[in-house]
Amino acid sequence: MKQSGWGRFPVIEAQVFRPRTETELAALLDRHKSVIARGNGRAYGDSAINRTATLQTSHFDKLIAFDTGTGQVVAEAGVLLGDLIAAFLPQGWFPLVTPGTKFVTIGGAIAADVHGKNHHKDGSFRACVDWIDVMGPDGKVTRCSRDENAVLFDHTLGGMGLTGIILRAAIRLRPVESGWIRQTTIPAPNLQAAMAAFEAEKDATYSVAWIDCLAEGEGLGRSLVMLGEHATRQDLAPAQRTQPFQTKRPPRRRVPIDLPAFTLNRLSVRAFNTLYYRAGERKSGEQIVDWDRYFYPLDAILDWNRIYGRKGFAQFQCVLPLDRAETGLSSLLRTIAEAGSASFLAVLKRFGPQDSPFSFPMEGYTLALDFPVTAKTLALLDRLDRITLYHGGRFYLAKDSRMRAETLRAADPRVASFKQARTDLGTTRRFVSTQAERLEL
Amino acid sequence: MSKLPVLILGARSDMARAVAHKFAALGHPIQLAARNAESMQADRMDMELRYRVPISLHEFDVLDTAHHGDFVAALPDLPGIAVCAVGIMGEQAVNEKDRAAASLVMRSNYEGPASILAELANRFDASGRGTLVGISSVAGERGRATNYVYGSAKAGFTAFLSGLRNRLAKRGVHVVTVLPGFVATRMTEGMDLPARLTAQPEEVAEAIAKAVERGRDVVYVRPIWRLVMLIIRSIPERIFKKLKL
Ligand SMILES: Cc1cc2nc3c(=O)[nH]c(=O)nc-3n(C[C@H](O)[C@H](O)[C@H](O)COP(=O)(O)OP(=O)(O)OC[C@H]3O[C@@H](n4cnc5c(N)ncnc54)[C@H](O)[C@@H]3O)c2cc1C
Ligand SMILES: NC(=O)c1ccc[n+]([C@@H]2O[C@H](COP(=O)([O-])OP(=O)(O)OC[C@H]3O[C@@H](n4cnc5c(N)ncnc54)[C@H](OP(=O)(O)O)[C@@H]3O)[C@@H](O)[C@H]2O)c1
């Protein structure tokens, strides 16, 4: 069966299994030289593909327990974040950390140790994980947490499935008063202004910026910085206050720019400009938007990844340390702008401090953007790799589909200790993705 | 207004579970009836957490027709909707030679489901309300060499449902016949099914909920199956008998 990640590149012929029980899972593990877990396939490249045995967790989809006092939910690894929201938002709980799509599994969120727009404030997904159950190479299940079997815990968070198969997890949700977000949009004429906005708004729960990659010269890094807060009941219009979690409204009111269209690179420059000037006119225009539109604008268009056509697309995401961020980002953006038509919009985000054995985030700025896969853009991506390396940055494996092993090693001194942990846990030959082969993990 | 319970017979099937999720999401209490019902505790918990409606488990064997009356009597409440997803396909090659195997397929797809629905029908009739949903199959529309034992049992079940509907139409009780084409479930796991013709269990659930709400009689899940079966039914027998289907 042909398998690929969300970017539809690369495409690899692989055997896929969908075990229904732990016993079936252990038997599959026993029967194959190596395996890799696959959640909902939202990683962009080949993180969740193993040619001989890709083990999809879609049948591990049950909620096990919920503590209404603490907001701790115990669930199987194949449960989607969207399922958690559907089940618990009506009771006043929302994921503490969420990526830009709700169609990720808990297992995938843990394995990539995903980050949201609140990393500077709340950290990565790890921050909400109390414990996990992991099936090791021998089929044995180990419960681990910060205090118990901590080596396994630390390396499974961000370990991209290479330390075993996550079966269950206990994660804590955050209490919220409504399903609405108070959003503030700040236009920033260039990169310096955008970074200054991030630094000035460190107290905002959520912050993220969209960068117009076509802007050059004076306007290099021209962007819209978007801040967000969970709306309290007081923030809502009286009509909404009675049902604060009811965000599904009948036909949307006139919304001149739909975010999804705005985020789809090819269609988006005009939309960006319109929004940019409107936000400017309205000064710091505040808006109340529902959680779905705020966190997951792209989810409204199912299968949007197909617009890039058959050849697929590749994401580039790096993080640069704080002290090198401005020069590094300028250099990246200049290179992208000079390359012309490749990518029109990028996402910029400020990370807070994090020091985990193999998770992606570290304090600094992270830049993400996607490119259609062509020989030209692949060459451009290599150039972006070099710029990132030069500025002491590193790369996000959940987005990678084409990096070279040397690049990863040069960027990330933790590769050696991660490999050592894999050896110690006995997982090196047993849990293998095609990405891990390519990157020699 | 609290909603009436939905009884799901053969609740461990992927299709049945999707149906249970659908009705639970709509706010109905759910009665899950299956063999070895105790093994469905995890499903019960999962559904209670997701939908905050009462979910109960009930031991049920469709072949144990002698006790179908007791089974219904023992339910905590008479359901407002009952969905029967019980069935086994067996292997045609085996069913051709082994009459016991064939009989099991016939009883599991026809005699058993007809028996339990008859019991429920009479109670629904007495109370003047309710909806019965039988999951039959397009395989029952015309016997084919490759699965006529299963197909014939489904044909019997389809005819039974149609008769029941006819009988109860004026009595306030509605009967829905579901003729799913291919569905990606445990039953068809590992088979090489054409994607366009294959529904996900959630689609079946969606179609059933809609049929119940709108009072539809016969539903094919993916509309294309209506056309496919129209063609298959209209091929003259003298040609049909020579075809490999
Ligand atoms: C539109 C979009 C927006 C995104 N935005 C963000 C974002 O803002 N922040 C961010 O951090 N990421 C983001 N991502 C990336 C995404 O969050 C991660 O790739 C996530 O890991 C995907 O989860 P999944 O369930 O689809 O896992 P998959 O893609 O199937 O797998 C990803 C990795 O997790 C491992 N894995 C999955 N399940 C298990 C398990 N049970 N046990 C062990 N290992 C497992 C796999 O082996 C693989 O290495 C985005 C992706 C998309 C498509
Ligand atoms: N999948 C398809 O393509 C397809 C197409 C058309 C129609 N159908 C019909 O759809 C229905 C649901 O099937 P499915 O695809 O979801 O497959 P399935 O998972 O095999 O479901 C069949 C269910 O019937 C139950 N069952 C069998 N014998 C029983 C008995 N004696 N007593 C109680 N329960 C019994 C099974 O219970 P256990 O779990 O205890 O074994 C199983 O849960 C069936 O009627 C099937 O014939 C399926």
Side-chain angles (χ1 to χ4, degrees):
Chain A
M1 201 182 168
K2 294 231 180 324
Q3 288 291 296
S4 60
W6 187 244
R8 304 176 80 208
F9 168 84
V11 178
I12 292 162
E13 187 61 39
Q15 253 191 302
V16 181
F17 300 92
R18 298 173 63 200
R20 284 171 183 271
T21 61
E22 235 171 277
T23 319
E24 278 180 35
L25 184 62
L28 284 166
L29 193 53
D30 193 46
R31 218 173 334 121
H32 292 94
K33 199 169 92 228
S34 73
V35 306
I36 196 73
R38 183 177 178 92
N40 205 28
R42 253 50 180 191
Y44 278 71
D46 48 357
S47 318
I49 304 175
N50 174 301
R51 287 191 179 80
T52 51
T54 299
L55 308 182
Q56 215 167 331
T57 59
S58 39
H59 285 302
F60 292 80
D61 60 352
K62 298 203 175 52
L63 301 179
I64 299 166
F66 183 63
D67 183 330
T68 51
T70 62
Q72 189 203 56
V73 55
V74 180
E76 291 184 328
V79 169
L80 300 178
L81 282 195
D83 293 340
L84 293 183
I85 297 169
F88 302 116
L89 180 59
Q91 300 177 60
W93 300 93
F94 197 79
L96 181 68
V97 171
T98 175
T101 169
K102 59 184 175 297
F103 300 124
V104 300
T105 64
I106 292 178
I110 292 171
D113 194 7
V114 298
H115 54 271
K117 299 172 178 177
N118 56 338
H119 185 277
H120 62 286
K121 199 105 191 223
D122 298 305
S124 64
F125 200 78
R126 181 187 163 97
C128 73
V129 182
D130 285 342
W131 54 257
I132 51 181
D133 279 349
V134 182
M135 184 179 281
D138 47 2
K140 242 185 65 202
V141 179
T142 307
R143 174 148 312 178
C144 59
S145 66
R146 284 171 191 73
D147 317 314
E148 191 186 355
N149 301 307
V151 172
L152 179 59
F153 183 81
D154 283 342
H155 292 84
T156 301
L157 269 292
M160 300 304 288
L162 302 175
T163 60
I165 299 170
I166 303 157
L167 297 180
R168 278 174 291 276
I171 65 178
R172 264 170 299 104
L173 306 177
R174 91 163 57 227
V176 293
E177 283 188 35
S178 79
W180 300 91
I181 301 291
R182 208 151 40 79
Q183 176 179 292
T184 311
T185 307
I186 306 169
N190 54 35
L191 180 64
Q192 288 71 24
M195 291 176 70
F198 274 114
E199 299 303 328
E201 302 290 348
K202 276 222 282 274
D203 290 337
T205 305
Y206 300 107
S207 60
V208 68
W210 290 95
I211 302 185
D212 168 7
C213 288
L214 294 185
E216 289 183 75
E218 296 276 283
L220 187 77
R222 192 172 76 112
S223 39
L224 285 164
V225 182
M226 312 214 184
L227 312 175
E229 297 296 334
H230 288 280
T232 62
R233 245 159 253 211
Q234 294 311 314
D235 295 333
L236 303 179
Q240 293 163 344
R241 260 178 232 165
T242 49
Q243 287 186 304
F245 301 109
Q246 189 70 47
T247 52
K248 291 277 170 296
R249 290 160 301 174
R252 266 186 200 153
R253 276 176 295 129
R254 197 172 55 89
V255 186
I257 294 141
D258 231 356
L259 268 176
F262 158 56
T263 45
L264 291 179
N265 269 331
R266 283 155 185 271
L267 320 165
S268 51
V269 178
R270 276 218 339 255
F272 180 92
N273 285 327
T274 316
L275 205 59
Y276 186 87
Y277 290 113
R278 264 206 300 137
E281 280 160 21
R282 249 195 284 133
K283 292 289 178 295
S284 59
E286 209 180 272
Q287 259 182 307
I288 298 257
V289 294
D290 67 76
W291 60 271
D292 210 1
R293 254 165 61 88
Y294 181 78
F295 289 104
Y296 314 113
L298 287 170
D299 287 353
I301 316 175
L302 291 174
D303 296 339
W304 62 263
N305 56 340
R306 290 176 181 268
I307 63 155
Y308 281 94
R310 262 174 209 265
K311 292 208 177 108
F313 63 111
Q315 265 253 346
F316 174 82
Q317 184 169 3
C318 68
V319 54
L320 297 172
L322 215 45
D323 56 341
R324 306 286 296 280
E326 193 182 322
T327 47
L329 288 169
S330 300
S331 176
L332 288 168
L333 290 172
R334 229 176 295 121
T335 308
I336 292 159
E338 277 161 17
S341 59
S343 188
F344 296 133
L345 286 182
V347 178
L348 182 67
K349 163 86 208 113
R350 169 77 153 89
F351 277 161
Q354 180 166 349
D355 182 20
S356 322
F358 205 55
S359 298
F360 166 62
M362 65 175 172
E363 179 151 36
Y365 279 85
T366 179
L367 182 75
L369 60 168
D370 47 56
F371 298 91
V373 173
T374 64
K376 199 175 142 216
T377 54
L378 287 175
L380 172 63
L381 286 163
D382 286 339
R383 253 180 291 150
L384 301 182
D385 283 356
R386 285 196 292 275
I387 296 170
T388 306
L389 275 181
Y390 178 75
H391 290 92
R394 66 187 185 217
F395 304 95
Y396 192 12
L397 296 186
K399 303 291 181 74
D400 157 66
S401 56
R402 28 69 48 194
M403 207 195 327
R404 280 184 259 273
E406 311 89 82
T407 312
L408 178 68
R409 263 199 309 272
D412 203 334
R414 303 172 305 170
V415 167
S417 56
F418 181 67
K419 286 172 76 161
Q420 186 58 49
R422 249 157 78 65
T423 308
D424 297 346
L425 294 165
T427 66
T428 307
R429 291 206 185 75
R430 300 288 280 131
F431 299 101
V432 183
S433 59
T434 51
Q435 177 180 53
E437 285 172 341
R438 174 167 49 79
L439 296 176
E440 296 167 13
L441 286 170
Chain B
M1 196 193 75
S2 69
K3 302 207 173 178
L4 291 168
V6 178
L7 169 65
I8 311 278
L9 300 155
R12 199 179 299 100
S13 111
D14 291 330
M15 242 185 265
R17 276 189 301 171
V19 174
H21 276 261
K22 179 67 199 173
F23 281 109
L26 293 172
H28 293 271
I30 304 290
Q31 302 167 341
L32 299 173
R35 298 188 281 202
N36 191 10
E38 194 51 32
S39 68
M40 292 196 69
Q41 283 294 358
D43 288 273
R44 184 182 68 77
M45 198 61 195
D46 173 59
M47 280 190 237
E48 279 186 352
L49 287 168
R50 281 177 198 256
Y51 311 112
R52 285 176 296 153
V53 291
I55 312 283
S56 52
L57 300 180
H58 308 278
E59 190 61 32
F60 173 70
D61 186 340
V62 87
L63 298 174
D64 186 11
T65 51
H67 292 101
H68 284 176
D70 302 340
F71 167 81
V72 177
L75 290 173
D77 297 294
L78 185 65
I81 301 164
V83 182
C84 180
V86 174
I88 61 171
M89 190 142 62
E91 271 185 55
Q92 173 65 22
V94 176
N95 295 342
E96 281 168 21
K97 304 210 168 66
D98 179 344
R99 275 183 290 118
S103 162
L104 184 67
V105 170
M106 293 173 189
R107 291 170 57 222
S108 305
N109 288 296
Y110 176 35
E111 187 191 326
S115 158
I116 185 69
L117 291 191
E119 179 66 33
L120 286 159
N122 293 342
R123 299 199 185 229
F124 284 8
D125 187 6
S127 66
R129 60 158 177 77
T131 303
L132 294 164
V133 181
I135 303 184
S136 191
S137 172
V138 294
E141 305 272 273
R142 193 160 192 178
R144 294 179 294 125
T146 47
N147 74 346
Y148 64 86
V149 175
Y150 172 76
S152 66
K154 287 296 193 189
F157 189 44
T158 301
F160 182 87
L161 291 168
S162 132
L164 205 56
R165 175 162 48 244
N166 190 205
R167 172 189 142 200
L168 298 171
K170 289 192 207 71
R171 311 279 306 164
V173 179
H174 182 53
V175 179
V176 182
T177 307
V178 188
L179 301 174
F182 300 135
V183 187
T185 65
R186 189 195 293 272
M187 194 177 264
T188 52
E189 209 154 58
M191 293 185 191
D192 193 17
L193 301 177
R196 263 181 44 114
L197 293 177
T198 307
Q200 294 305 311
E202 292 73 24
E203 286 176 66
V204 181
E206 208 60 53
I208 289 177
K210 217 192 252 174
V212 169
E213 187 200 322
R214 303 191 183 164
R216 296 245 168 87
D217 300 321
V218 180
V219 294
Y220 291 81
V221 176
R222 291 212 167 174
I224 184 153
W225 277 100
R226 202 175 276 279
L227 183 68
V228 172
M229 294 323 294
L230 183 73
I231 295 168
I232 289 185
R233 277 195 311 265
S234 61
I235 302 172
E237 192 65 24
R238 81 195 130 72
I239 298 173
F240 192 81
K241 71 179 181 191
K242 295 190 191 127
L243 294 180
K244 270 187 149 170
L245 282 165

